[in-house]
Amino acid sequence: MGFSRNIIITGGAGFIGSHVVRLFVNRYPGYRIVNVDKLTYAGNLANLKDIEGKPNYVFEKADICDFDAMLAIIRKYNADGIIHLAAESHVDRSIRDPFSFAGTNVMGTLSLLQAAMTAWEPLGWKISHTPGAAPVPCLFYHISTDEVYGALELTCPEGKKSGISGGMAYGDRLFTEETAYRPHSPYSASKAASDHFVRAFHDTYGMPVIVTNCSNNYGPYQFPEKLIPLFINNIRYGRPLPVYGNGENVRDWLYVEDHARAIDMIFHRGRPAETYNIGGFNEWKNIDLVRLLIRVVDRKLGRSEGCSDSLITFVPDRKGHDVRYAIDSRKLRRELGWTPSLQFEEGLEKTVDWYLSNQEWMDNVTSGDYMKYYEEMYNL
């Protein structure tokens, strides 16, 4: 069959990527969605079993650092859009191995940009899929993180209502699209560098690009090195819950399906060369989040709420640990009408239900090697 658009989604077997792939495959049957993933430890095709037989879905196993492979895939599918999610994303791993993060996040993004430019620039940044039809404008959409902005002050230690979405705020300042970059970890530095390369390809070559910076995501299919799935599993089995420092660090949380909806809106209606911040206006101190999570999981397991508080284990603080992140996403709401659809407690309930109902998935990704890594990471 013919397709009106051919869109490559990199990192589509990962956490956020799998939700974006699923959304696009189901919502746009006239698009061919090409999932490009190297299938590293956090990439899992089981995340997409429900759509793997769809006629508009294709998987290509490839490394974004391989320029020849990226160029061949872009040309093979006559791709007019790239949604770039493939990245190394765990701060702890970046502290241990910064070279891997520079390789994937910086050089991989540069390889993909160069491949897209090689394929698209001779066509005037537009591609025709159907004879006689108007060509489709090309777009390189790069997904980044709020961590590139550095850290915000914790000026309201007890928190206050944000007045925007019912969430909490722990300071008056938020990251806006104009906030200067000040990355503090090897991970955020590598993402900042990749953001700069994307914008440079627009300014130098005229490539149509969009960059978005998002706050912490949570939800189904997240690899359990991240806080929420890790702690759900550990509460279930009575394992320690390692909390960095005193647990006072603050993060802004967004349900992953809301992020996927934002990506959809921005890809189709966002203005090229623009940056959009995506956040939940929903700040939580780590220790408060952990205690809420304990109550929810205990209740769903038929235990007395809070009985797993004894599992909380304070561990030495992460090197260079940023105090607070908080995203101002009012530009996205103003221009495209996007707002988060779920309150945090509702999203957390859905997330806990999913992990407790999908223990086979969890067992398959938490291998013996993973558990050894986890114990070494937190000195447990």
Side-chain angles (χ1 to χ4, degrees):
M1 63 179 291
F3 294 99
S4 62
R5 301 202 67 170
N6 294 293
I7 300 168
I8 291 171
I9 299 177
T10 69
F15 169 44
I16 299 172
S18 63
H19 286 276
V20 177
V21 167
R22 179 179 295 103
L23 176 64
F24 273 68
V25 166
N26 288 330
R27 180 169 291 180
Y28 303 106
Y31 293 4
R32 175 163 51 192
I33 305 303
V34 183
N35 174 11
V36 175
D37 200 298
K38 187 181 176 182
L39 296 182
T40 59
Y41 74 95
N44 186 354
L45 289 178
N47 296 355
L48 294 164
K49 285 190 70 66
D50 56 317
I51 63 156
E52 62 185 6
K54 297 270 187 174
N56 64 329
Y57 171 71
V58 179
F59 172 69
E60 291 276 357
K61 183 178 180 181
D63 185 347
I64 59 171
C65 294
D66 186 338
F67 167 81
D68 291 333
M70 293 302 101
L71 179 58
I73 291 171
I74 293 170
R75 286 176 167 166
K76 176 180 178 181
Y77 295 103
N78 204 27
D80 58 87
I82 295 172
I83 300 176
H84 178 36
L85 288 129
E88 293 280 359
S89 65
H90 191 42
V91 175
D92 292 329
R93 288 182 184 265
S94 80
I95 293 169
R96 286 190 163 197
D97 183 13
F99 283 100
S100 294
F101 283 68
T104 297
N105 297 351
V106 183
M107 297 308 296
T109 299
L110 180 57
S111 167
L112 194 59
L113 284 164
Q114 188 71 19
M117 186 181 71
T118 302
W120 292 345
E121 189 176 36
L123 305 175
W125 308 109
K126 293 183 178 180
I127 288 181
S128 296
H129 293 300
T130 306
V136 177
C138 301
L139 179 65
F140 190 105
Y141 179 179
H142 177 66
I143 284 80
S144 189
T145 173
D146 58 357
E147 297 190 37
V148 298
Y149 296 125
L152 293 167
E153 302 86 357
L154 186 65
T155 56
C156 303
E158 301 307 316
K160 63 180 182 179
K161 287 289 184 181
S162 70
I164 296 173
S165 64
M168 297 294 291
Y170 284 86
D172 298 321
R173 290 185 60 233
L174 302 171
F175 295 136
T176 72
E177 289 81 1
E178 287 73 41
T179 299
Y181 276 28
R182 196 183 175 195
H184 292 151
S185 71
Y187 162 60
S188 56
S190 69
K191 290 298 290 184
S194 67
D195 294 3
H196 290 321
F197 267 113
V198 172
R199 295 190 179 101
F201 266 65
H202 169 267
D203 295 347
T204 304
Y205 307 109
M207 179 182 286
V209 306
I210 289 177
V211 176
T212 55
N213 300 83
C214 192
S215 58
N216 279 29
N217 280 213
Y218 70 99
Y221 298 109
Q222 188 171 29
F223 190 79
E225 65 186 355
K226 298 299 179 76
L227 188 152
I228 288 178
L230 172 67
F231 281 26
I232 292 171
N233 203 44
N234 285 11
I235 294 166
R236 182 172 196 160
Y237 289 109
R239 296 171 183 151
L241 306 177
V243 176
Y244 279 127
N246 58 11
E248 295 292 306
N249 301 75
V250 172
R251 298 295 181 260
D252 177 18
W253 292 90
L254 180 67
Y255 191 63
V256 64
E257 291 181 3
D258 281 332
H259 188 189
R261 283 193 309 106
I263 290 171
D264 178 19
M265 286 185 181
I266 293 165
F267 180 81
H268 287 97
R269 295 164 48 204
R271 292 181 289 136
E274 286 292 320
T275 298
Y276 296 92
N277 281 351
I278 310 171
F281 291 107
N282 176 53
E283 298 177 45
W284 282 78
K285 287 184 180 181
N286 287 344
I287 189 61
D288 293 337
L289 169 58
V290 169
R291 288 178 175 139
L292 173 62
L293 192 58
I294 287 171
R295 292 199 300 273
V296 173
V297 177
D298 281 345
R299 170 166 46 83
K300 290 184 179 292
L301 292 175
R303 304 168 181 170
S304 59
E305 291 188 18
C307 72
S308 297
D309 281 349
S310 60
L311 299 175
I312 295 174
T313 305
F314 291 99
V315 298
D317 208 357
R318 170 189 282 164
K319 296 178 180 178
H321 200 179
D322 290 334
V323 174
R324 173 178 171 251
Y325 304 142
I327 280 282
D328 185 342
S329 55
R330 284 177 290 191
K331 175 181 175 180
L332 181 56
R333 181 178 64 173
R334 183 174 64 250
E335 291 193 10
L336 302 182
W338 177 90
T339 56
S341 68
L342 294 178
Q343 294 292 319
F344 183 67
E345 289 83 351
E346 181 185 359
L348 194 65
E349 292 268 347
K350 289 181 65 174
T351 299
V352 171
D353 285 341
W354 188 88
Y355 284 103
L356 294 182
S357 300
N358 288 271
Q359 192 60 40
E360 182 180 357
W361 180 92
M362 179 69 79
D363 291 341
N364 286 338
V365 299
T366 53
S367 65
D369 289 341
Y370 165 75
M371 289 307 300
K372 180 180 179 182
Y373 169 85
Y374 157 72
E375 290 167 357
E376 290 177 351
M377 176 64 66
Y378 299 108
N379 297 313
L380 297 175

